[in-house]
Amino acid sequence: MRVRKLTFAALAVAAGLSLTACNGDDGTAQSDGSSASSASSTGGGSGADGSDQGGSGQGGEKGSAGQGTAAGSGSDENAKVGKCRTDDLDITAQDSTIDGDAEGTVAVTFMNGGGSDCALSGYAGVDLKTSEGDLSATRSGQESSPMILKDGESVHFGVTYPINDSGGSGVSVTALVVTPPDETKSFSLEWPGAATLPVTDGAGSAVKVGPMGSAGQGGAS
């Protein structure tokens, strides 16, 4: 009887240990499972998903969604280049007449000194101050194309006028007044061409202005 009791007791202890071990395994598995779930949840923010999405996602934010988008907006804004303002242009003029030409030519230069690119399109306004009053140049009729004048770069256009070979005193020219395209502020400078123009019958201005980019004969290109 004592031997049987001891045996039963030993079996009971062994069975208890076995059950404890099984529960420990299940518990460990559940614990591992919840740990894995927790790790997966945590890793989703900065681990696997964080690496993949953080590498491509965060990189994407910087490259395309974040800074890229900002850069895109900036580029879009930069694409809308403002027009060239009179105050941002260094405007000069020089006589560009070639011997033997039937007309005199003055080349006007716009140099962009405003610190950023600007847009030019069409024709500048040109007026001559003369002893007979203001004389407005008419457009030559040449085709004009919009352009971007980069900071520090220049563009030229020509002003042509009739040469006074009449033998008379003609009309004295005292100044050249230039107004950039789409601007209202003018810039006055010394007239570098012939001192006089022939007297006309008032049928229209014989002074012509070319579009942006047309330097005129003998002008800089």
Side-chain angles (χ1 to χ4, degrees):
M1 290 296 293
R2 184 178 179 79
V3 173
R4 286 183 181 180
K5 286 181 180 179
L6 289 173
T7 301
F8 288 145
L11 289 174
V13 171
L17 289 174
S18 176
L19 288 173
T20 302
C22 289
N23 287 335
D25 289 341
D26 291 344
T28 302
Q30 291 175 358
S31 174
D32 289 345
S34 61
S35 287
S37 174
S38 174
S40 174
S41 173
T42 305
S46 60
D49 290 343
S51 299
D52 295 341
Q53 295 179 359
S56 61
Q58 268 188 335
E61 281 185 2
K62 292 183 180 178
S64 58
Q67 293 179 0
T69 302
S73 300
S75 297
D76 289 341
E77 290 177 3
N78 292 337
K80 299 175 182 177
V81 177
K83 68 180 180 181
C84 294
R85 300 284 185 179
T86 304
D87 290 339
D88 294 332
L89 296 172
D90 181 13
I91 303 175
T92 57
Q94 64 177 10
D95 182 15
S96 297
T97 305
I98 297 176
D99 290 342
D101 282 351
E103 294 180 310
T105 302
V106 166
V108 179
T109 301
F110 285 173
M111 196 280 284
N112 181 7
S116 61
D117 300 350
C118 63
L120 279 173
S121 178
Y123 288 76
V126 171
D127 296 282
L128 302 185
K129 297 286 187 181
T130 78
S131 56
E132 300 296 324
D134 292 351
L135 176 63
S136 296
T138 59
R139 297 180 178 184
S140 65
Q142 293 172 264
E143 184 178 353
S144 62
S145 300
M147 67 177 65
I148 301 299
L149 185 60
K150 294 186 177 298
D151 182 41
E153 294 189 354
S154 300
V155 66
H156 319 273
F157 63 91
V159 178
T160 59
Y161 60 93
I163 295 175
N164 182 19
D165 55 8
S166 64
S169 59
V171 178
S172 299
V173 183
T174 58
L176 169 67
V177 180
V178 178
T179 309
D182 300 320
E183 265 284 65
T184 57
K185 186 175 183 178
S186 300
F187 184 82
S188 182
L189 59 161
E190 184 178 347
W191 171 249
T196 63
L197 301 177
V199 177
T200 64
D201 58 6
S205 174
V207 180
K208 307 288 184 183
V209 56
M212 293 295 112
S214 64
Q217 296 180 13
S221 56

